[in-house]
Amino acid sequence: MRVRIIVNLKPSVLDPQGKAVRAALKSLGFEGVDDVRVGKVIYLNLTGVDRGQVKEMVEEMCAKLLVNPVIETYEWEIVED
Amino acid sequence: MRVRIIVNLKPSVLDPQGKAVRAALKSLGFEGVDDVRVGKVIYLNLTGVDRGQVKEMVEEMCAKLLVNPVIETYEWEIVED
């Protein structure tokens, strides 16, 4: 099973990487780009894990390693069975 | 309009960050995690851009700045109007 976890900075947290991308897009002549935010996407290939256990497992992995809950939020989904 | 671009390393490209995450998950006791890949997610807030122009604009931004086509692939979608 393949799980995709998207980790984003909370809206209240400054995102210097996003600001740099925005400035670079502007300098390349792209108009109308108001705001840019950059996050991480993590794909996990899980084997021998039932569908029923996945939610708990992903939440535990996010809590223990993948996400810093002070500054980040996450969403996840199963992208392939 | 809010666009989400997900940028991933091509499957043939080594992903040391993914390998490190996998090893860390294993050392925390998570079994069954076969493979981990880490990519980027970029959110763009666009104003004054019509829906008809978005595809071309996003493809151009990816080609010129956001994606390295030698080692990366991307997918994008409009996540909010």
Side-chain angles (χ1 to χ4, degrees):
Chain A
M1 188 188 313
R2 199 168 158 80
V3 169
R4 181 175 73 192
I5 304 167
I6 293 180
V7 182
N8 289 309
L9 286 170
K10 289 183 180 174
S12 56
V13 177
L14 276 180
D15 179 2
Q17 192 182 358
K19 274 206 168 21
V21 171
R22 189 191 161 207
L25 288 171
K26 203 164 186 176
S27 76
L28 288 170
F30 293 101
E31 296 295 331
V33 185
D34 266 354
D35 187 35
V36 179
R37 304 287 286 179
V38 180
K40 280 177 296 187
V41 54
I42 302 164
Y43 293 87
L44 305 173
N45 257 10
L46 304 177
T47 47
V49 177
D50 317 335
R51 249 189 131 86
Q53 297 172 280
V54 178
K55 181 172 187 287
E56 194 185 347
M57 189 173 170
V58 169
E59 286 173 358
E60 205 183 333
M61 291 190 291
C62 287
K64 288 192 174 164
L65 181 73
L66 304 175
V67 178
N68 177 349
V70 177
I71 57 167
E72 293 172 329
T73 57
Y74 70 98
E75 53 188 291
W76 69 277
E77 62 182 318
I78 295 171
V79 287
E80 209 180 284
D81 253 324
Chain B
M1 186 188 315
R2 198 168 159 78
V3 169
R4 182 176 72 190
I5 303 167
I6 293 181
V7 182
N8 289 309
L9 287 171
K10 289 184 181 174
S12 56
V13 177
L14 276 180
D15 178 2
Q17 193 181 357
K19 273 208 168 20
V21 170
R22 189 192 161 206
L25 287 171
K26 202 161 187 178
S27 75
L28 287 169
F30 292 102
E31 297 294 332
V33 185
D34 266 354
D35 186 37
V36 179
R37 304 287 288 180
V38 179
K40 281 178 295 188
V41 53
I42 302 164
Y43 293 87
L44 304 173
N45 256 8
L46 304 176
T47 47
V49 177
D50 320 332
R51 249 187 131 86
Q53 297 173 280
V54 178
K55 182 172 186 285
E56 194 185 347
M57 189 174 171
V58 169
E59 286 174 358
E60 204 183 332
M61 291 191 291
C62 288
K64 288 193 173 164
L65 181 72
L66 304 175
V67 177
N68 177 350
V70 178
I71 55 167
E72 292 172 329
T73 58
Y74 70 97
E75 53 189 291
W76 69 277
E77 62 181 319
I78 296 171
V79 287
E80 209 180 286
D81 253 325

